[in-house]
Amino acid sequence: MQIFLFGAGYSARAFAKVMAGQADFIGGTTRDTAKLAALKQDGITPYLFHGTHASQEIIDALASVTHLVVSTSPGQSGDPVLAQFAPTIMRSMSKLQWIGYLSTVGVYGNHGGAWVDETTPCHPVSARSAERVEAEKGWQELANRREVPLAILRLAGIYGPGRNAFVNLTNGTARRLNKTGQVFNRIHVDDIAGALRFLATRNEPGIFNITDDEPAPPQDVVAYAAELMGVEPPEESDFENAPLTPMARSFYGENKRVSNARIKGLGYTFRYPDYGTAFSAMWRGHTWR
């Protein structure tokens, strides 16, 4: 198996880690020259991709790739990987067996706390989620033309080592915002990596919600982390009066419970089915930093 990661960030690097023993080659892109050494240290052959042109170095690397994972963010002008590398994927990747595209549960929009699944129509609220819908369509069209299976993984709010409520409580940025009825799903980065491995090794196509079993109010998550740490949680504050950036406020405009039944039906077992299990394990194992 030869893997290439467009956007070797937090989630893609976790996938590279679990695939280290199975893959003969793992390449990955970054826009930041300062991150090249860190990728190499993680066993990823690093490539610079600024989203503006298809470098010959990446084109050459793609020639032998069997599994392509895309986690770059689209913008107003579309998906940068599709824009620069669609011709390469169509004509010069003779060994390609599978594509995985990392999207977001934000594509569903707001459902007033109701349950959604992969059959729910997309009605994105934010511009960034609308861009994801267009990127999903673009990748599906390319995969259909190329006749290669595409898995679209719609991710919930990502957390894991270095990115969690323990960190926020430690550095003083944790908040307990209360908006009546508001819930979010979450997903530990290890389960993103696990789901990717599960789907990639089966060359499985389809749309999959990669999310936990327990949509919960965000203030409860902070309170539970504080309880494990043995510290006082921050006071709850009212969402309506809280000083938030427009992006932070927009997250609260989407309220839904997201089902993960489809990937579980295929046989995937979540390592961390809820935040309680994950936070307890991270605190016990000192893996939260």
Side-chain angles (χ1 to χ4, degrees), residues 63-143:
S64 59
V65 164
T66 58
H67 291 73
L68 188 63
V69 174
V70 182
S71 68
T72 51
S73 299
Q76 290 180 343
S77 56
D79 185 290
V81 182
L82 278 176
Q84 303 303 331
F85 288 97
T88 303
I89 297 166
M90 286 299 297
R91 296 193 289 269
S92 305
M93 293 185 70
S94 60
K95 298 181 180 178
L96 184 63
Q97 297 174 21
W98 180 85
I99 302 171
Y101 180 71
L102 301 189
S103 185
T104 168
V105 297
V107 297
Y108 297 114
N110 182 33
H111 290 266
W115 282 95
V116 301
D117 63 20
E118 292 86 351
T119 66
T120 303
C122 291
H123 294 294
V125 174
S126 69
R128 64 183 178 278
S129 292
E131 289 161 3
R132 285 286 183 189
V133 172
E134 290 308 306
E136 284 187 8
K137 287 177 186 171
W139 280 103
Q140 192 63 68
E141 286 166 11
L142 181 142

Side-chain angles (χ1 to χ4, degrees), residues 1 20 32 37 74 83 117 120 158 168 172 186 199 215 240 257-258 265-266:
M1 185 182 281
D32 186 352
D117 63 20
T120 303
I158 302 167
N168 297 342
R186 292 155 193 83
L199 296 168
E240 299 303 334
R257 291 171 165 83
V258 185
L266 283 180

